[in-house]
Each structure stands twice: as C-alpha cells, then as structure tokens.
Amino acid sequence: MRAAIVGAGSLGTIIGALINHAGKQIDLVDAYRDHVDALNTSCATKTVAIDLNVPVKAYTPDQLTGTYDLVFLLTKQTSNQETLAHLLPYLHPDSSVCTLQNGIPEHSVAALVGRERTLGGAVGFGATWLRPGVSSLTSSYEAMKNFAFEIGEIDGAVRPRLQVVQAYLECVGKTEIRSDLMGIRFSKVLMNATFSGMSTALGCTFGDVLADPKAMVCLAFVADECIKVAQAHGVRLVAMQGEDLEFFKLLSATDIPSKMVLYRKIWGAHTGLKASMLQDLEKGRDTEINFINGLICQKGRERDVATPFNDKIVELVTEAQQRRGVNNFGYLSRFDELLNIHANDLPNQVAWS
C-alpha cells in the first residue's frame, strides 16, 4: 500500500507525523519547498500534549514518481483544479482519493478524479502551522484522540476501502465510518462557518469569540442559518462529538441563551484555535470563505433561505482578503444592523455599540 498526504500544511503535518510514528509509511507532499526540506530533516509537531520528531519522506509535487493507492487531500479547495490535474498521472484505476478538506468538496473532487475514486471525511480537530517542518495541535489532545475523523462515501455505501482509510487515520485518533457523509459534511460546515467564520471575520481565536456575548449571538444566528439551509436541501445534520447540532436551530432570538452551554461544551476544548482561514489572511493568501460560509449563502439562495449573518461574514473576510490584511474585533460592530432587527428578543447583556 502506497499512501500520501497531498497538502502537508498544519493538519497534514500532524496527521503525517502520527501515521508514520505508528509505523505506517505515508509520504507528505506540499508545494512549499522550504517546508518539504524541513520535513525531510524531521517532521515535528509541537504542543503541550505532543512533542514528536518523526522521520518522514516529503516531496514537492514535481518530485512525485510512480502511483499511489491512497491519497489524503488536505490542500485548500481554492487550488483543487491545479492540484488534482497534477495528481492524476500518479493515480491508477483503483486508487482512492479521500478529501479531508473543509466545506463539501466531494462532488467537485469526483468531477476531476472520478466518482469511483472519491471518498471523503470530516476532521474533528485543529492545528496551526508555525514554521517549516513544525505544526502545533491547537485543539486538546483528548478532542483529537476521541473525535479525529468521520469518513464515508458520496452514495452512503460502506465499501471495504473505507476500512483501509480507517486503519491509517486511526493512527491519529478515533475514526468512524459513516453512511451519511452529506449529513456529516453539513455538520462540519456548521462547525467551520460558526467559529472559523467568526474567528476569521474578527481576527481572533475561538476562545475570544466564546468569551464575547455579542459575538456569540451573531454566531448563534450563523449556526441557525446553516441548519435551515441543510434542512431545505433535505439533509439532516448528524451528531458530532456526541452532540446533536440541530439543537442550535432557533425558533426566535429568545432561544439563544439556552444554546450557550452546549456551545461551550463542544468548543471549550478548542479555545486556543485560530481558524485556518485567518492564518491564510495573516500570510496574505486567499481563504476558503466561499467554500464554507459562502457555501451556506449559495445553498440558501438555491432554496430561498435567507442567510444574512453568513453573508456578512463573507463580506468581512472578502474585504480583508482583497486588502491583504486582517480584521480586528472592532469589526463586530458591522453586525449591528442585523442584530437590531432582533433587538427586542435578544439577551439583555449584549451591548450593540
């Protein structure tokens, strides 16, 4: 079995290190040559809970040879066309490409590599790229070990190749095979659209969002829009980290205070996490905003479901992206017009100005 991680950035570095540490050989592929050179010296993951230096084999895309039986795709969706076009010569007819990207990328990946070679999954932990060869686990070690991955097929079938993928990913943490991949995907979109979206729009960590009542009210509306869009498309969100995310659906703004305990229970283990989209802004790169919050906006328009809070996040992140800058928490005031629509029903402790 010849396997590779294509897109060995923050998550890919940690996943690759742990798979190799467990004794399974997996190549790491990344376009950043300095990072590849450092990985070939020693693949390092640095956190309070993990301190590993694991020998790995790393390559830039132009250094690839032969074919791979299994590829984990961890590049940004913004580069899928280019990445997968380059990858095709290194796949054989029975290869499997497992996309672990954000959003709902399976159908676009299948259009490029073939539906018969495509499967996908959601990642239940976060990481931050620090420097060439070094990434930091920014979720708790327990969150990674207990809720690492959920994987499945586009059509919901449970095929033997899923067990092969599971065997690799179990080296990192618990990996569950599911027959409801689209439900998983919409659940993960909610998780990303809420805290990753707000983290990126406001230039802060997940913990900063959790600590601010006004930001959390905005986030509650973001989650509500995600659920209503999924339901309009006939998709029921599945439980993640043992919790039913459809609990976050709102009948009105008066429901918001009752949701806060569960938000803190789920995301309290990820307070140090900084969204990968925010990391992209800090590096002057384009983000995946159109594949996360923007996906909810697009899918909402298809079913006439309004998504004003997701629209506002897309607006703020797109502005920052265009000026190659990073927003700050002061941009929270840009939500005031939307919040004032619900002012009579909102929690008293939230200040609008």
Side-chain angles (χ1 to χ4, degrees), residues 215-269:
M216 287 302 297
V217 168
C218 295
L219 184 144
F221 282 115
V222 171
D224 179 60
E225 292 172 5
C226 293
I227 295 165
K228 288 172 180 173
V229 166
Q231 291 178 341
H233 282 270
V235 176
R236 190 192 190 286
L237 274 66
V238 303
M240 296 199 83
Q241 300 192 15
E243 303 294 343
D244 181 6
L245 299 188
E246 293 209 348
F247 172 78
F248 294 124
K249 183 177 178 179
L250 305 176
L251 297 179
S252 75
T254 58
D255 292 341
I256 291 175
S258 68
K259 313 298 181 183
M260 291 299 113
V261 170
L262 186 57
Y263 278 120
R264 290 184 171 84
K265 179 181 178 182
I266 296 175
W267 279 276

Side-chain angles (χ1 to χ4, degrees), residues 94-122:
D94 295 322
S95 296
S96 295
V97 176
C98 180
T99 170
L100 298 175
Q101 298 166 304
N102 291 323
I104 305 177
E106 283 77 14
H107 295 93
S108 61
V109 170
L112 294 168
V113 305
R115 188 181 179 92
E116 71 284 355
R117 292 195 286 203
T118 304
L119 60 153

Side-chain angles (χ1 to χ4, degrees), residues 1-2 8 14 26 44 100-101 105 133 135 138 152 170 184 194 200 202 258 272 310 314 345:
M1 173 65 67
R2 191 162 185 243
I14 289 177
I26 189 165
L100 298 175
Q101 298 166 304
S135 281
T138 42
E170 286 276 1
I184 292 167
T194 51
T200 308
L202 303 179
S258 68
N310 279 281
V314 172
D345 296 324

